[in-house]
Amino acid sequence: MTKQFGIDISKYQKGISFNEIKNEGINFIIIRGGYTGSAAKNHNKDENYETFYKEAKEHNINVGVYYYSRATDYAEGKDEAYFLYEQCLKNREFEYPIYIDVEDNIYQAKAGKECVTEAIKGFCETLEKLGYYVGIYSNINGFNTLMHTEKLKRYDKWVARWGKTRPTYPEGGIWQFGGETNMIRTNKIAGMVCDQDYSYKNYPEIMQQKGLNGFHKENNNYIIYTVKKGDTLSKIAKEFNTTYQKIAKDNNISNPNLIYPNQQLKIYI
């Protein structure tokens, strides 16, 4: 797969034009879903999340999500994950991973690698159990000093390193190559300064084929049924223990009352 060009955005890009984003060749967007506050460690939803998600879907731009974490133990990581799920993820589809953003210098930098590693596990394991493809975002320094990266090999990485060369450790599926400083191209998208990324994996295919991030796993168990005179979708549905609405949807039938003899239908079993 050729690398894909994307951006990550939060409330600081409020008002950005998605028409211009699309025209500038952006293939994916990773939206901040929420963050943990610095004072009381309360959970907050990004004020522009809903607007950004809606706009991205309307413009057919692939979407992922990140949560800015300050968790320092397993339970706190788990709580952040549940908050993100309830507020941002539930009943929605995401073509790109769901990331825990680990770069906090208030709590996590003081807690030690072991504590932060457990917090990351709490976040990631919780969302995995809910059917999500998860990953870890940080910069090179964060992967080296905030966590035991070698204990987190099973999780995908989104690595921030503003420069001209993709980092090799840790190897990540996404490289954030620039933000305010950008050595590859202009630092602006649609007239606004944005963090910019290259993706090296076919994440949409992974999510859809494996049934993750709100997608349903592809079902290849079906038969081809040839419509006979006198058949109705309701009659066929009853025969195969399904619904006429599902048959209509699976076969792009706009009028479920209108089928024809010898018409071939795909029936999932």
Side-chain angles (χ1 to χ4, degrees), residues 53-187:
Y53 179 86
K54 180 175 179 289
E55 290 266 16
K57 290 296 182 178
E58 288 178 351
H59 287 79
N60 197 31
I61 299 173
N62 295 321
V63 178
V65 173
Y66 74 93
Y67 185 93
Y68 186 94
S69 173
R70 296 189 196 273
T72 55
D73 60 36
Y74 192 96
E76 288 185 356
K78 185 176 179 180
D79 287 344
E80 289 180 342
Y82 273 126
F83 175 84
L84 185 64
Y85 172 71
E86 291 291 343
Q87 295 295 319
C88 302
L89 307 181
K90 194 174 182 179
N91 299 323
R92 291 177 172 170
E93 295 176 342
F94 302 91
E95 296 82 6
Y96 271 68
I98 311 301
Y99 293 97
I100 179 171
D101 178 351
V102 183
E103 53 183 322
D104 168 53
N105 59 10
I106 298 176
Y107 299 100
Q108 292 177 338
K110 299 174 183 177
K113 286 186 175 184
E114 193 63 39
C115 292
V116 176
T117 299
E118 285 302 304
I120 293 169
K121 288 180 179 178
F123 182 94
C124 292
E125 288 177 4
T126 299
L127 288 182
E128 280 190 326
K129 290 175 183 177
L130 291 169
Y132 292 91
Y133 184 116
V134 293
I136 306 164
Y137 168 89
S138 194
N139 54 36
I140 297 295
N141 183 63
F143 281 114
N144 286 330
T145 65
L146 292 179
M147 68 193 82
H148 291 298
T149 302
E150 69 278 5
K151 294 183 179 181
L152 300 165
K153 290 180 180 179
R154 65 187 302 267
Y155 299 117
D156 208 338
K157 310 296 190 299
W158 171 19
V159 185
R161 180 177 183 271
W162 294 357
K164 295 182 178 180
T165 307
R166 180 186 178 190
T168 57
Y169 180 83
E171 184 177 356
I174 297 181
W175 168 34
Q176 186 188 84
F177 63 82
E180 291 184 10
T181 299
N182 196 316
M183 300 180 185
I184 294 179
R185 62 180 309 282
T186 173
N187 65 359

Side-chain angles (χ1 to χ4, degrees), residues 40-52:
K41 296 185 84 171
N42 55 314
H43 303 144
N44 303 275
K45 184 176 181 178
D46 190 286
E47 63 189 55
N48 279 93
Y49 174 78
E50 295 292 343
T51 299
F52 287 158

Side-chain angles (χ1 to χ4, degrees), residues 203-269:
Y203 287 113
E205 183 177 277
I206 292 171
M207 306 311 167
Q208 292 172 33
Q209 287 187 351
K210 295 188 176 182
L212 299 170
N213 288 15
F215 289 97
H216 297 291
K217 190 172 183 179
E218 291 183 3
N219 180 4
N220 294 319
N221 296 321
Y222 63 86
I223 63 167
I224 300 298
Y225 177 85
T226 302
V227 176
K228 301 187 294 289
K229 186 177 181 180
D231 274 342
T232 64
L233 282 191
S234 295
K235 180 180 176 182
I236 297 168
K238 186 176 181 180
E239 180 179 348
F240 291 98
N241 195 30
T242 184
T243 66
Y244 77 85
Q245 294 95 334
K246 178 166 175 51
I247 296 176
K249 180 181 179 181
D250 291 340
N251 292 275
N252 297 315
I253 297 173
S254 57
N255 184 352
N257 296 313
L258 194 60
I259 57 175
Y260 307 94
N262 297 319
Q263 182 177 355
Q264 292 191 319
L265 302 176
K266 186 181 289 186
I267 311 290
Y268 287 92
I269 56 176

